[in-house]
């Protein structure tokens, strides 16, 4: 349980990337709804290939996501660019910062 749970009350739709099809396109699992908090915050991040890219928003959530997942917020589909684990007071995972 995160100390910020009371702030993460927005419903966010997530489709986990499951792999690629025969044409190289990404395939996704059915959409699931998680709780989190969206914050419009532009910053530069390193993506999973080590390339610098621009992130327009961040989601704070207790649910672990991975780069490549699709997030739907306000009828806009965003691909997860980077995920950062935030530690709690006692060393365990408190929450995840998901850059979109």
């Amino acid at each position: 349980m995160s100390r910020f749970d009371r702030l993460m009350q927005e419903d966010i739709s997530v489709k986990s990337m499951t792999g690629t099809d025969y044409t190289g396109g990404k395939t996704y699992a059915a959409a699931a709804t998680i709780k989190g908090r969206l914050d419009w915050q532009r910053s530069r991040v390193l993506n999973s290939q080590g390339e610098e890219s621009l992130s327009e928003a961040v989601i704070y959530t207790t649910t672990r996501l991975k780069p490549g997942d699709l997030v739907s917020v306000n009828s806009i589909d965003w691909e997860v660019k980077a995920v950062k684990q935030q530690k709690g007071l006692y060393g365990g995972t408190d929450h995840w910062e998901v850059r979109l």
Side-chain angles (χ1 to χ4, degrees), residues 19-95:
T20 56
D21 60 15
Y22 67 94
T23 62
K26 296 177 181 175
T27 57
Y28 297 95
T33 301
I34 64 169
K35 292 289 187 183
R37 179 174 173 255
L38 174 71
D39 190 16
W40 297 98
Q41 186 182 94
R42 181 176 283 176
S43 66
R44 289 183 293 201
V45 296
L46 291 177
N47 63 19
S48 58
Q49 289 84 23
E51 301 167 339
E52 190 175 279
S53 64
L54 188 62
S55 167
E56 295 291 336
V58 62
I59 292 176
Y60 302 99
T61 182
T62 56
T63 304
R64 184 176 186 175
L65 302 178
K66 60 186 186 302
D69 289 350
L70 269 185
V71 175
S72 292
V73 180
N74 300 332
S75 301
I76 301 172
D77 289 335
W78 302 82
E79 186 171 339
V80 174
K81 295 182 180 182
V83 179
K84 184 177 178 185
Q85 177 186 28
Q86 295 297 321
K87 298 283 188 173
L89 295 174
Y90 301 105
T93 301
D94 185 68
H95 65 277

